[in-house]
Amino acid sequence: MASQAGQDAKFFQRGKIQEFRAELHAAESKDKKFVKRKTVLKKIVANITMGNDMSPLFTDVVQCLGIPLLEIKKMVYLFLVCYGRSKAEQIHLVIPSFLQDCNDRNPLVRALAIRTMSYIPIPVVTESLTEQLRHCLKDRDPYVRKTAAICVAKLYTADPRKAEKGGFVEMLRDLLLDANATVVSNAVAALSEIGDRQDGVIFKLNLTVANKLLAALSESSEWGQIYILDSLLRYVPERHSDAELMAERVIVQLGHANSAVVLTAIKVLLYLMNYMENRRLMDYICKKMGPPLVTILSSGPEVQYVALRNILLIIQRRPNVLKNDVKVFFCKYNDPIYVKLAKLEIMYRLAREENAREVLAELQEYASEVDVDFVRKAVRSIGRLAIKVEAAADDCIKALLDLIETKVTYVVQEAVIVIKDVFRRYPGKYEGIIPVLCENFDALDEPESKAAMIWIVGQFADRIDNADELMDDLTFTFMDEPVEVQLALLSASVKLFVYKSQSETSKALVHKVLKWATEEVDNPDLRDRGFMYWRMLAINPAVAGEIVLAEKPAITTDSDRMDRGALDQLLLHTGTLGSIYHKNPETFIRNAGGKALADSPALNPLSRQVLVPIARSNLPTAVQIPGPGPPEPPKDAPEALGVKPILPIHGGSGSDSDLIDASSSGDHNGDEDNDEDYIASPSGAGDPYANLGGAFGGYTTDEPKPHTDDLLF
């Protein structure tokens, strides 16, 4: 094979259309074993690979289809895949050869013909493909059947109505019960692709078929296993025992060598755990998921990053999975920066009282690294650790003070930002370090750190002797500062005035800042806040003080956690691009269908409370199902109100008949499992603002009135 590849390298030279045409014509006379034509076709395919346009040779290449040599047929069909769509007016020349090859004795030729036809979404080809595809789906050779299964998905993409009318979706469903595992996995892949379309049929599994798919798992290829495991998310357990038995069969896949299979198995287990009640089994599954995830981290940096982004989601939902493995996420000196930052976030998530000392020591090491972004994140993580683990707060503050003493500008700035949050988390505990912060005031030149220091000065102005002098220096550049700093200065000057209302300096300062904020600043937020403070101070300074200096709730780390409903939804995309972006695919992929947990009697009550409904768009046209139509509905029936009835596709028997729901996507009220009809809202309900005409009529007290008194002094 290596020598053959070396010989074929000579064909990758730019050639001319006329030369290739002349060589093809010359080869017709003396070419008994078709060696010359094979050589010319290799040159043409090589030029296509290099990006050269070979479409003018269409009629010449097509004439080689009659040659009974598989290697030549492959090259001609590759040519047709590239140029068949752009040569719609000449494609009829190939149709007889297509039909002949679809009935060839060689299964490789039959599969090649049907696959090539599916790649050319032109009406004349699609029309010829339909009948041949129906035969190939029932072919005696599994290679042809598995190729035909993928062709159904391509036909559905080209013409959904033809695929549904021809009954191809039901034939795919029947292939799920095929004796060959490769055919089963390809049928699952095709049905999944159709079901993921927003305008496609809804693909569901029942318990019988789900168990049969699991049985085919061990005989499938790696990618076949991924498709089968992924399809299990379409099965909704009705009983806790069903989910638990299925999880026990899936857990074996955690030992697979392929990281994609492992991540997909973890995704299925996380999904099934929402439908379990056996706490011991859930703890056992969490314990079993840890080692495979750790093993993936020994791969290359790209695979590591994918695993880390998935782990970040998993530990938010199931913290027990890696709670004792925080050392695995300590950064190595040669890790890329994107891997280091991902590990840093996971270290913080896994930190608790038992391992806080180890994590803090590691973070202090990172704070002396050379990469600025990494150092910033490490310093900020030390502050977040102090807020999260109260027992480690003292050590974290000492570490931050040591870092401030280094006088490195960006380190000092990050330390000031997190210390502000520490003050809010532990009020009255660490205010003794304020003088150290004030000594480093000149090192602050970024808006966020400057705003944090100004907040500290304003909040603790009663404990800082020269607070009015500091604020006077700070407000000197008020008009040149970013909005974030201006807002902080405005609030801090008002707090200073409330603390030291007898001081002439503070009076002059607040008056100056309020005039700037209300008269010379264009930002509406800043101007409105200035007017609000001015009005409060003018009406009742005592009440203004109570409002401005009101006791603030201690901040917590709850805001770091993702919303439970959104997290459950994202975990259904484990191992995909969505789990790396931490966004649902429908937000960045056009026409991608959403996923969410489906309600059932076995669903965990907490998961049921945060269920996220999925809205699917309507099909562009109604799907006509062969067979007798429904009787005319009465005028008060849902159909009469504009709601289409849900029409199941028939064609199977027994327990398999509920595998696929062919209802129009818009017929579901956000939940794929809701099979009951619903009543549409009256036509006027489409406008969300229809009833807001007099909503604000009674609020006369909010009418603007002129204020003629002196507002402050």
Side-chain angles (χ1 to χ4, degrees):
M1 289 297 291
S3 60
Q4 180 68 31
Q7 292 172 8
D8 287 349
K10 64 186 178 185
F11 297 122
F12 285 85
Q13 296 177 3
R14 188 178 294 275
K16 294 182 179 179
I17 301 291
Q18 295 85 351
E19 293 175 2
F20 291 145
R21 183 176 285 125
E23 287 181 36
L24 280 173
H25 288 309
E28 291 177 4
S29 55
K30 296 179 181 179
D31 192 17
K32 291 184 180 179
K33 294 186 178 180
F34 313 111
V35 177
K36 292 181 181 178
R37 269 176 278 196
K38 191 192 300 183
T39 303
V40 180
L41 286 171
K42 282 184 178 180
K43 290 180 183 178
I44 293 171
V45 170
N47 272 264
I48 294 172
T49 307
M50 292 190 293
N52 302 328
D53 183 20
M54 296 284 112
S55 57
L57 294 169
F58 189 88
T59 51
D60 304 286
V61 172
V62 162
Q63 290 174 4
C64 298
L65 258 183
I67 298 172
L69 199 65
L70 183 61
E71 193 174 356
I72 287 180
K73 282 186 181 292
K74 282 183 178 179
M75 289 189 283
V76 175
Y77 277 141
L78 182 60
F79 183 92
L80 288 171
V81 167
C82 293
Y83 299 115
R85 187 181 302 188
S86 59
K87 293 287 183 179
E89 68 283 353
Q90 294 176 309
I91 200 69
H92 66 276
L93 301 172
V94 195
I95 300 294
S97 299
F98 275 145
L99 298 177
Q100 183 179 345
D101 285 351
C102 283
N103 296 297
D104 196 274
R105 294 180 61 185
N106 189 340
L108 295 177
V109 174
R110 296 201 297 274
L112 193 60
I114 203 77
R115 183 172 62 195
T116 307
M117 290 174 78
S118 69
Y119 270 107
I120 307 174
I122 296 174
V124 64
V125 179
T126 307
E127 200 64 42
S128 304
L129 169 67
T130 307
E131 194 57 38
Q132 300 303 323
L133 184 57
R134 186 173 280 106
H135 290 304
C136 288
L137 284 167
K138 297 177 180 177
D139 197 278
R140 64 183 179 277
D141 192 279
Y143 182 79
V144 180
R145 294 200 301 275
K146 70 104 175 171
T147 306
I150 297 298
C151 293
V152 172
K154 295 186 181 299
L155 175 63
Y156 197 96
T157 303
D159 192 344
R161 291 188 65 192
K162 184 182 288 291
E164 289 175 357
K165 276 185 173 181
F168 290 108
V169 179
E170 294 93 322
M171 295 177 77
L172 268 184
R173 180 194 63 195
D174 296 338
L175 285 184
L176 292 178
L177 308 177
D178 197 277
N180 187 284
T182 307
V183 176
V184 172
S185 58
N186 278 29
V188 167
L191 281 170
S192 297
E193 185 161 330
I194 293 170
D196 285 340
R197 292 168 57 98
Q198 285 195 338
D199 58 349
V201 297
I202 296 172
F203 173 34
K204 298 179 188 175
L205 295 179
N206 58 28
L207 181 60
T208 307
V209 178
N211 284 328
K212 288 180 179 176
L213 292 182
L214 281 169
L217 206 56
S218 58
E219 300 173 20
S220 301
S221 65
E222 292 176 344
W223 293 111
Q225 290 180 30
I226 292 168
Y227 280 122
I228 290 174
L229 286 169
D230 201 51
S231 71
L232 295 178
L233 299 182
R234 301 174 187 275
Y235 165 66
V236 182
E238 295 295 323
R239 297 176 299 176
H240 299 302
S241 57
D242 294 340
E244 290 161 5
L245 287 170
M246 188 169 289
E248 289 174 357
R249 296 180 69 181
V250 171
I251 207 168
V252 182
Q253 301 301 319
L254 293 177
H256 203 284
N258 187 308
S259 55
V261 176
V262 172
L263 282 176
T264 311
I266 288 173
K267 170 167 61 176
V268 176
L269 290 170
L270 289 168
Y271 167 73
L272 292 173
M273 286 166 76
N274 291 297
Y275 297 90
M276 295 182 194
E277 65 174 355
N278 186 338
R279 178 56 57 184
R280 290 182 64 184
L281 177 60
M282 292 167 72
D283 291 341
Y284 172 73
I285 293 172
C286 288
K287 186 179 177 183
K288 294 290 284 185
M289 281 196 284
L293 288 170
V294 172
T295 303
I296 295 175
L297 293 178
S298 61
S299 308
E302 292 82 7
V303 177
Q304 267 191 69
Y305 183 70
V306 172
L308 290 167
R309 293 295 286 174
N310 282 278
I311 287 169
L312 192 53
L313 289 175
I314 292 166
I315 60 175
Q316 289 183 64
R317 182 67 180 86
R318 304 287 176 186
N320 291 340
V321 172
L322 291 161
K323 70 175 183 180
N324 297 320
D325 295 307
V326 69
K327 287 185 178 180
V328 173
F329 302 99
F330 287 177
C331 300
K332 298 174 184 174
Y333 74 95
N334 59 348
D335 280 339
I337 182 62
Y338 57 88
V339 171
K340 285 182 175 179
L341 293 175
K343 284 184 173 180
L344 206 57
E345 182 66 23
I346 293 171
M347 282 170 56
Y348 161 72
R349 298 277 180 190
L350 293 176
R352 49 203 175 96
E353 192 171 337
E354 291 80 4
N355 58 24
R357 194 177 295 276
E358 293 173 318
V359 172
L360 177 59
E362 194 71 13
L363 292 174
Q364 284 179 278
E365 289 290 327
Y366 302 158
S368 59
E369 290 274 350
V370 293
D371 190 288
V372 176
D373 288 337
F374 185 51
V375 171
R376 283 178 179 274
K377 194 77 182 285
V379 175
R380 193 164 291 207
S381 296
I382 293 174
R384 293 170 71 197
L385 181 64
I387 294 168
K388 182 180 181 182
V389 184
E390 187 171 356
D394 290 344
D395 292 335
C396 291
I397 290 295
K398 288 176 186 174
L400 289 171
L401 290 175
D402 290 341
L403 290 170
I404 289 173
E405 288 177 8
T406 62
K407 303 297 181 183
V408 179
T409 307
Y410 55 85
V411 173
V412 173
Q413 297 193 111
E414 288 297 328
V416 169
I417 292 168
V418 293
I419 285 174
K420 183 199 89 166
D421 292 335
V422 172
F423 285 161
R424 286 199 57 190
R425 175 69 176 87
Y426 306 107
K429 192 172 181 182
Y430 296 110
E431 282 77 1
I433 66 171
I434 291 176
V436 179
L437 301 180
C438 293
E439 289 171 8
N440 294 275
F441 210 101
D442 294 336
L444 309 179
D445 57 5
E446 294 178 1
E448 191 178 2
S449 58
K450 221 170 189 178
M453 191 65 216
I454 291 166
W455 180 89
I456 292 171
V457 173
Q459 187 69 22
F460 304 105
D462 57 333
R463 305 185 191 188
I464 303 174
D465 296 334
N466 62 337
D468 46 0
E469 295 175 14
L470 285 172
M471 287 299 300
D472 197 34
D473 291 341
L474 287 166
T475 54
F476 185 74
T477 56
F478 181 86
M479 295 303 297
D480 301 325
E481 298 288 358
V483 174
E484 183 180 358
V485 178
Q486 288 178 332
L487 286 166
L489 282 169
L490 177 58
S491 298
S493 60
V494 173
K495 289 176 183 176
L496 177 67
F497 173 71
V498 171
Y499 277 127
K500 301 182 179 182
S501 56
Q502 304 304 318
S503 167
E504 292 300 323
T505 308
S506 63
K507 282 184 182 180
L509 180 68
V510 74
H511 188 267
K512 179 171 60 175
V513 172
L514 285 172
K515 278 188 73 69
W516 279 336
T518 55
E519 295 178 8
E520 298 186 31
V521 172
D522 294 330
N523 186 279
D525 292 335
L526 186 59
R527 194 168 59 242
D528 287 350
R529 189 180 294 189
F531 278 126
M532 181 188 73
Y533 282 146
W534 204 324
R535 181 68 62 90
M536 284 197 304
L537 291 170
I539 294 173
N540 193 332
V543 174
E546 291 177 11
I547 294 172
V548 173
L549 298 174
E551 186 175 347
K552 297 170 181 60
I555 62 173
T556 64
T557 55
D558 290 343
S559 59
D560 292 337
R561 298 175 189 154
M562 193 178 290
D563 176 69
R564 169 74 178 270
L567 189 58
D568 282 341
Q569 198 174 4
L570 269 178
L571 285 172
L572 298 177
H573 301 289
T574 302
T576 67
L577 205 55
S579 65
I580 298 174
Y581 289 160
H582 287 188
K583 291 181 179 179
N584 291 312
E586 61 268 25
T587 62
F588 60 88
I589 298 177
R590 191 184 298 114
N591 295 328
K595 288 183 181 178
L597 289 178
D599 197 5
S600 89
L603 184 63
N604 184 301
L606 290 176
S607 297
R608 184 178 288 114
Q609 289 175 13
V610 292
L611 277 180
V612 179
I614 295 295
R616 289 168 61 102
S617 60
N618 287 314
L619 284 170
T621 53
V623 179
Q624 300 296 327
I625 306 299
E632 189 70 16
K635 293 194 175 182
D636 58 346
E639 294 88 338
L641 295 173
V643 180
K644 299 174 189 173
I646 294 179
L647 299 175
I649 289 183
H650 299 293
S653 60
S655 61
D656 300 336
S657 60
D658 61 342
L659 253 177
I660 298 178
D661 186 351
S663 60
S664 155
S665 306
D667 295 340
H668 288 268
N669 192 13
D671 188 342
E672 294 184 4
D673 275 325
N674 183 11
D675 291 332
E676 297 178 359
D677 292 343
Y678 64 97
I679 305 299
S681 302
S683 57
D687 181 9
Y689 306 107
N691 298 320
L692 294 183
F696 306 105
Y699 289 87
T700 55
T701 54
D702 285 341
E703 289 179 359
K705 297 176 183 176
H707 202 293
T708 56
D709 300 332
D710 187 3
L711 290 179
L712 186 55
F713 304 110

